Structures are given as C-alpha cells and as structure tokens.
Amino acid sequence: WIPFGGVLGFHHFYLNRKKIGIIYMFTLGLFGIGWFVDLFRINKLVDKTREYINSNPNSSKPLIILSDLYIFWLPPFGLFGFHQLIIEKYFFTFAYIISFGHLFMGWFCDLFRMKSHLE
C-alpha cells in the first residue's frame, strides 16, 4: 500500500485483482480517493483474498467484494460505469459512458442494487 505503489494499484496486482489495478494505475488510485480508502481496508482485502483462494484453488476469476463496487460507484467514476466495468457488464459500462449514468437515475438506483450486482 506504500504511497507510490498504492496510487498505482500495485497492491491490487499482488492480490490478483488485475482489472482494479489497471484502473488504479490510469487514474492514480481513483484520484487518491481509492488509495486513501484502501489504507483502512487493506487488511480485509488480504484476508478475503486468502480465504477466497483457499476455498477456490482452481479459480482464475479475481475476488470482487461489495466495498469495491461502492468505491467505483462514487462520482465521477460511477457516472461513467466503472462499477459495471469491474463486474464485467460491458454493455452497461458503455451505456453509462454515453448517457452519463443514464442521466443520473441509473447511477442513483445502483446505490441500492449494489449487492445484487455481485450475485
């Protein structure tokens, strides 16, 4: 999580969360917001990743937890569908980009539907 590596998402690459790491790299840790939040949740990320790997040893799919979706939902990223991107809903990501979060309504509704996105 060290400042330089954390802003560039190195801790996400280490935890095999490549997509989130790439987004962090290009946005400098979500303009510092995600990097700061990760300061408080890094231990939980490591524990959840260890637990996930131990219970799914052959899975190549990275772990996405609910707090990831909420961080990527925050403006301005959520208005462009970043929270849809990390759960691989590419059509909705594109729709958010061209409609600015479906003119805020889709973005606002996603606040209450976040848990269902992971199921």
Side-chain angles (χ1 to χ4, degrees):
W1 178 87
I2 56 174
F4 175 73
V7 170
L8 295 177
F10 290 175
H11 56 295
H12 289 289
F13 287 109
Y14 176 76
L15 295 173
N16 196 31
R17 297 157 46 97
K18 294 176 184 88
K19 193 178 299 180
I20 295 175
I22 290 169
I23 292 171
Y24 266 55
M25 190 174 288
F26 285 107
T27 62
L28 295 178
L30 301 175
F31 302 124
I33 297 168
W35 172 76
F36 181 74
V37 171
D38 283 351
L39 168 67
F40 300 102
R41 67 184 200 125
I42 191 70
N43 289 333
K44 186 174 184 172
L45 286 175
V46 171
D47 291 342
K48 289 269 189 188
T49 301
R50 277 191 196 135
E51 183 181 305
Y52 178 74
I53 289 171
N54 289 336
S55 63
N56 303 303
N58 296 326
S59 178
S60 62
K61 190 169 184 165
L63 173 68
I64 303 294
I65 57 177
L66 190 59
S67 62
D68 293 331
L69 291 181
Y70 281 114
I71 290 171
F72 283 96
W73 174 86
L74 293 170
F77 312 104
L79 294 172
F80 295 107
F82 277 45
H83 59 293
Q84 301 284 348
L85 178 66
I86 64 170
I87 55 175
E88 299 179 353
K89 293 189 175 182
Y90 302 114
F91 174 78
F92 287 105
T93 302
F94 179 72
Y96 270 59
I97 289 170
I98 62 173
S99 68
F100 207 60
H102 305 305
L103 298 177
F104 297 100
M105 291 306 296
W107 172 77
F108 181 73
C109 289
D110 277 348
L111 173 63
F112 304 102
R113 299 178 332 140
M114 212 61 79
K115 193 169 186 173
S116 69
H117 284 312
L118 286 178
E119 297 169 355

